[in-house]
Amino acid sequence: MEKRKIIMDVDTGSDDAMALVMAMLDERFDLLGITAVNGNVEVKLTTMNSLRVVECCDKQDEVKVYKGCDLPIASTLMPWGPQATQMPGFTNPLPHREGTREQSIQVHTDHLPLPVPKIKEEPESAVVFLIKTLLAAEDGEITLVPVGPLTNIAIAMRADPRIIPKIKEIMIMGGGHDVNNSSPAAEFNIWVDPEALEIVLQSGCKITLVPLDATHKCFMTVEESERIRAIGTKPAILIADLVKQRATGYAQMDAEMKALNGAPLHDALAVCALVIPEVLKNVVHVNCHVDISKGIAYGQTIIDQRIRVNPTPKNCYFAFDADKDIFVKWMIDVLEKDKAKRGL
Amino acid sequence: MDKRKVILDVDTGSDDAVAIISAVLSKNIEVLGIATVNGNRCVEYTTENTLRVVEMLGVSETVPVVRGCAYPLVATIKRKKPGIPRGHYYQHAEEYKTSGKSIHGDFLDMFPPSTIKEANLNAVSWYIKTLMAAEDESITLIPVGPLTNLAHVFQVEPRTVKKVKEIIYMGGGHLLGNTRPAAEYNVWVDPEAAQIVLESGVRNFIWVPLNATHAAYLTKSDAERIRSIGTKPAEVVAELIEQRIIGYSNYQKVEAPDAAPIHDALCIAAIHDPSVLTDIHHCYAEVDCGGSSCDGETIFDINPGSFEYDKKTPNSYVALGADREKFVNILVGILEGAK
């Protein structure tokens, strides 16, 4: 079977780390590169953390990491806006510079619990790499998997629109309809760079949004993660450690997750959906736009659900639900298979 | 003297054409390349117009033209600035074409369609490649359209910032606008880009706003003096000035009769002789990106208040005046020198 060519765009990040592990170890993927972006932590750290994960999976000879944009397109330009002033849990505005993260909530940390990487990122910047790689590809050849703010992808499309037909589809972790986290209206990845998603949504590419509505259905409990830990490989232990870290973080802010002793693993679900589409449930073809008006709803993904004679044109697939059992089984299967392949 | 290494960023544009001609013909300037951008017209048109000028000058072998961004950072997704990008569907296109009174026109009709092509590399990637290969503080950037390309360059590869010696930017106005009461066109098209470039940490950012370019207007007799030089480029410059005088007489009268500003070319003149710019203030500047009536307004804090908390570190230089006689003499000098 022909492998699916993907580029991961990440803000690593604990759930990004798991998404990267799965993208590197699931043999159905041909991972062409990892582009890091500002998000959960500043880009210097998301780049470094991505390198850590590559080393953890022993993929340093095959997979290269590129450093992307340090700032969102425009959200931090508004000096009085929340992106540029404060955010609950942070003592400093975006970008989350090293050391500014409140230490009591540890869904993400500045540094992943892995050794300082020996390898370095490539000298080329992420956007230049994206443009070069896509322009050299056939039409519809490459799938993009952005699981952080969409800054790199949006700027690449603006700098060279000839890349757009090269993209097979874009599987995005981001947004929320009934579930949000960074503001009453917005999910973090989109809240960081609302304009970037709006640019991508207007590109005409085939786009699927894997929002919080779906990822919160796909949580993993600490108990389940112990089964993954038992596999015993470095990547499996990393995932188990990160699930535990996330569960501890979520327990401080989410009563439901506290009771379950678990946490959603957002970004990994987008990777799963590429090889097992049925993990996403209630996927609806919708008209979706992002609020960029800089008010209370800045960064909200708005789904047009009005019943109209002339409906607004549909521009993306939106997953309202997901199947937790398929998701957990996929992670275990891939990690088991990787273990067998290494002859352990 | 070493030639100043310059990259032009243009939305050609009648005044852009004069800037390109004077930069390429100047003995003090080495033009490393010309990036195009959406602005006076959509980027397809500004690229074609730029190619026409470069072909007329016969420098297509040495001066690459690279195509830049088709859309401003956020203005078009906000849907608050209808008519951008300005293409053939521009609402006044027919009226402009038939009456011959436009300031820019869709195409520079005095040239035949170009037979050369732009480079294959896009402008943002080209800028990054060129700047990363350069010495620190060795390149002068002269953007005379919306700052979209450069904003993306600095966002994508911040290491390019220290390669820049200076940015001489035609844009903005101090309490003076053209496309809107509060805003000058280049900045109004992409205010976010202007703010990003201004705050990039670039060493010398020099604003050449409407206050300066309006002071440096050219007249019909200036056009005649330039035409009498007798070369093809001089003839073209004279014709462009006359076309702008007609356009300005119809839409935007300047202080002298039968005169028009040639905004973008003033930046090139400033490289030859910095004293062509006058009334220069080293001050804190900011671009309004609020999206309302003052979107794209440039605020120059040239008289900071007495409140300490109001005082901000100067981040740029702004020229509020210009010496029009010097400007004409510099233009004539460049065109004569190339004869």
Side-chain angles (χ1 to χ4, degrees), chain A residues 13-130:
Chain A
S14 56
D15 55 330
D16 306 71
M18 298 187 230
L20 285 179
V21 167
M22 300 307 290
M24 281 188 270
L25 299 188
D26 191 321
E27 293 184 325
R28 289 165 284 190
F29 293 118
D30 177 6
L31 181 57
L32 303 179
I34 297 170
T35 52
V37 70
N38 159 62
N40 289 315
V41 283
E42 64 174 310
V43 72
K44 179 182 84 177
L45 299 175
T46 63
T47 306
M48 192 176 174
N49 284 333
S50 302
L51 291 165
R52 285 183 159 113
V53 180
V54 171
E55 272 189 356
C56 174
C57 294
D58 297 315
K59 294 285 183 187
Q60 51 269 37
D61 294 335
E62 298 152 54
V63 180
K64 302 297 172 203
V65 177
Y66 300 82
K67 186 176 177 181
C69 297
D70 181 52
L71 288 170
I73 290 179
S75 63
T76 53
L77 284 178
M78 185 173 59
W80 61 89
Q83 283 86 342
T85 50
Q86 82 283 324
M87 181 191 172
F90 292 91
T91 48
N92 267 0
L94 284 177
H96 296 326
R97 297 293 180 206
E98 187 169 8
T100 62
R101 182 169 273 280
E102 175 109 18
Q103 293 305 306
S104 63
I105 297 176
Q106 299 207 341
V107 174
H108 300 285
T109 48
D110 283 349
H111 298 276
L112 286 178
L114 288 170
V116 173
K118 291 188 197 70
I119 51 172
K120 287 260 173 289
E121 74 268 22
E122 297 298 296
E124 209 168 44
S125 78
V127 172
V128 172
F129 162 76
L130 281 167

Side-chain angles (χ1 to χ4, degrees), chain A residues 156-192:
Chain A
M157 285 177 167
R158 282 295 184 72
D160 204 325
R162 292 174 296 180
I163 67 173
I164 291 170
K166 311 291 189 177
I167 299 169
K168 180 184 170 76
E169 65 174 301
I170 309 179
M171 182 66 76
I172 298 170
M173 190 280 129
H177 186 65
D178 289 327
V179 190
N180 286 297
N181 54 16
S182 286
S183 82
E187 180 275 334
F188 179 77
N189 288 343
I190 312 310
W191 179 83
V192 170

Side-chain angles (χ1 to χ4, degrees), chain B residues 107 178 185 195 228 259 278 306:
Chain B
F107 292 108
N178 54 14
Y185 185 76
Q195 180 63 19
S228 68
T278 61
S306 54

